[in-house]
Amino acid sequence: MGTTNFSEFLSQLTSGFTQVLDVNLREEDYIIIDLSEDNVELGKVDVSSSRAFSNYIAEYLNAFGKKVAFGGYSEVRKLYKRSDLFTTSEDEDSNRNIHLGLDFWADAHTDVLAVLDGRIHSFNDNTNFGDYGPTIILEHKFEENKFYSLYGHLSRASLQDLTPGTSIKKGEKIGELGTAKENGDYAPHLHFQIIEDLVEKIGDFPGVTSRRDLDFYLQNCPDPNYLLKLRNS
């Protein structure tokens, strides 16, 4: 499918706000957050420290009386400069710093829910510094259309007793948010991404891209909010 067609197709699969975290959270518990390189306040935070970053998120949520901070699709970030996983070249156009999913910053151990009916495609603990840590990928099929949803930065316990091919229902708990010690050394959050073509990846898929590869990835990984329908995204 083309970019527009796939996005429209995704949008038709849900009729309103769709939960990806704890069933008790309401839409009004969420607030958008800017983690881009243009955020002056974030520039004052040591983003290489998961503890400092966790404090920044907690203060932001407390200031607005919210429980989940979300956002980040196609956002250009400085967060990834701390890891060789993303910064491998002196050529800025080749370094990966453009985010391809939506992040949901919330407390560690918050439940993570499947956004649609599907089956477990694959899972893996991606243990590189700054990587996803424990990750689950679900496969979805609707009317002949097949695509995938990726849930990254989970707890290690989330991967226990999983079997590829197991059916999963929309709204079913599939895991929990991991701590910084297990999620790639980040403040606790979910990286949620939609992928049309997995390119034969297993338990992993790029969640950040470079300017050089941006067109392909934006087409292959449209904004997850077409499904979730959170306001202000």
Side-chain angles (χ1 to χ4, degrees), residues 100-112:
L100 293 169
L102 276 181
D103 281 338
F104 294 85
W105 306 86
D107 291 339
H109 311 300
T110 298
D111 287 351
V112 175

Side-chain angles (χ1 to χ4, degrees), residues 1-2 5-14 18 114-122 136-151 170 192-199 201 205 219-228:
M1 279 185 280
N5 288 343
F6 187 35
S7 299
E8 289 177 353
F9 166 74
L10 290 173
S11 186
Q12 293 167 6
L13 295 178
T14 55
T18 299
V115 296
L116 294 167
D117 290 351
R119 69 181 189 93
I120 295 175
H121 173 272
S122 54
I136 297 174
I137 296 176
L138 302 185
E139 179 183 294
H140 309 279
K141 284 185 179 178
F142 291 89
E143 303 167 352
E144 305 307 312
N145 296 311
K146 184 167 69 173
F147 63 96
Y148 307 87
S149 57
L150 180 150
Y151 306 76
K170 177 181 178 179
F192 176 66
Q193 186 169 331
I194 298 297
I195 304 160
E196 185 171 20
D197 182 0
L198 260 186
V199 200
K201 296 281 189 182
F205 192 85
Q219 180 168 328
N220 195 39
C221 304
D223 188 345
N225 207 38
Y226 283 110
L227 274 179
L228 302 181

Side-chain angles (χ1 to χ4, degrees), residues 109 123 125 133-136 153-162 173-179 182:
H109 311 300
F123 51 91
D125 191 354
T135 307
I136 297 174
H153 306 297
L154 306 178
S155 67
R156 292 210 171 94
S158 301
L159 303 187
Q160 292 177 0
D161 302 322
L162 296 186
K173 177 181 174 179
I174 59 170
E176 297 180 352
L177 298 188
T179 64
E182 55 191 349

